[in-house]
Amino acid sequence: PTTYSLHDGEFVLEAESFSYSIAPSFETRDVDRLGVQPVDDEVRLELRNEALETHYINQLELVEITHQPDQLVFPDPNGRPIVVSEIFSPAVAVDNSRREVTRELSRADGDAWESPDHRLQTVSTDDFRDHLDLEFDVPTNVRETALVLRMRNSLLNTVLLYDVMLQGQGWRALDWMGQDLDGLVAKLRLGYWYRDRMGMSVSVWRDGAYREIEHLPDTGPIAWQDVALTVPVTEPGRLRVRLSFVADNWRIDRVGIAKPLKNGALRTVALTDVLARDGSIVPEASELLRSTDDDYLITRPGEQLTLRFHVGDSELGAKRTYFLAAEGYYIEWMRREWLQTVSPVPFHPSDDALIDALLAWADQRDAYRAKFEATKIPVR
């Protein structure tokens, strides 16, 4: 599901939820930072299904953090808010190809870093990862800081899902999504393999080597994701960080550090009501989305709903930042070309499958984004 807000008469993309929850057993809760602000004591969002998918949405709620106007708030990897002060850019940023990329990573402007072409052309089962090395100046008395990232996935995951996992299985992919992935063994095998290979490893330099302190999951290729995590400063006056991942799996717009502050006032805002396209209230939709249970709101391609949250007045002189918490999963619709696969074979998680996806992605990445955008299902 994609979520938009209306700003100056234009719909602005705010978030995409549970992008890789491709079966009921992979249902998960996503927390995304929003840029929306209340109008007349109300936050209004538009929820869309813009893909050939059926969405099963279990719950939606708004998380509000009240803080000082000069502070910023970001979700940590578990969706908890981290309040920070001013964000500082890296002193040095170098990628695995020894390119100096500090400028690309210093501002949240959409000019994002990506793996170079030659890295994709040289991947193998023994060497398919890429990384960024960053160095930050910090005060000598600081022992902990907040690392702030703005990023989104490339469409490599989409190629892996569409062209390797699903198309290779042909008609058998229906059973794989609907039945096999509900089994414990198949779920664990795919889940552990995917976690080990994909996502992003965050490491800091300590005792002569980079040591992993966090593994961030993939977030999706559509909306930018903001996240913050506290990291230890292990060298006086210097912080060295390595971000490691499968080659070209990420578009990284900004990386910085900031002083973590005491948490702001937090509250959860329940959904007030849901509006249909004609503006009428859909009471059953509101009931389905207010709590986590066995009842789901189901949306199909081209459908959209408006979500309303009554948030009330803010404290005088305070600022409010909102997160959207969404839980659910989706089922991909089969494409005609997938069903025409001549020799379907079961999908088995392996590095060979990942290399197949990387090589397919390398041949089409420049054109794939435009192709992907062109397949969006219009909702208006």
Side-chain angles (χ1 to χ4, degrees), residues 3 105 166 172 238:
T3 303
L105 300 176
L166 297 181
R172 180 67 180 77
R238 202 71 165 170

Side-chain angles (χ1 to χ4, degrees), residues 125-138:
T125 53
D126 297 320
D127 181 20
F128 52 78
R129 297 188 70 79
D130 206 348
H131 67 254
L132 286 166
D133 288 337
L134 309 117
E135 295 188 18
F136 299 90
D137 296 321
V138 296

Side-chain angles (χ1 to χ4, degrees), residues 164-170 172-173 341-348:
V164 178
M165 291 184 179
L166 297 181
Q167 184 168 346
Q169 297 187 83
R172 180 67 180 77
T341 299
V342 176
S343 301
V345 295
F347 174 74
H348 296 291

Side-chain angles (χ1 to χ4, degrees), residues 197-219:
R197 297 299 183 268
M198 309 304 283
M200 178 185 293
S201 172
V202 181
S203 303
V204 299
W205 184 265
R206 183 172 56 204
D207 300 329
Y210 282 107
R211 315 284 182 179
E212 183 177 89
I213 60 166
E214 188 71 64
H215 188 91
L216 304 177
D218 288 330
T219 62

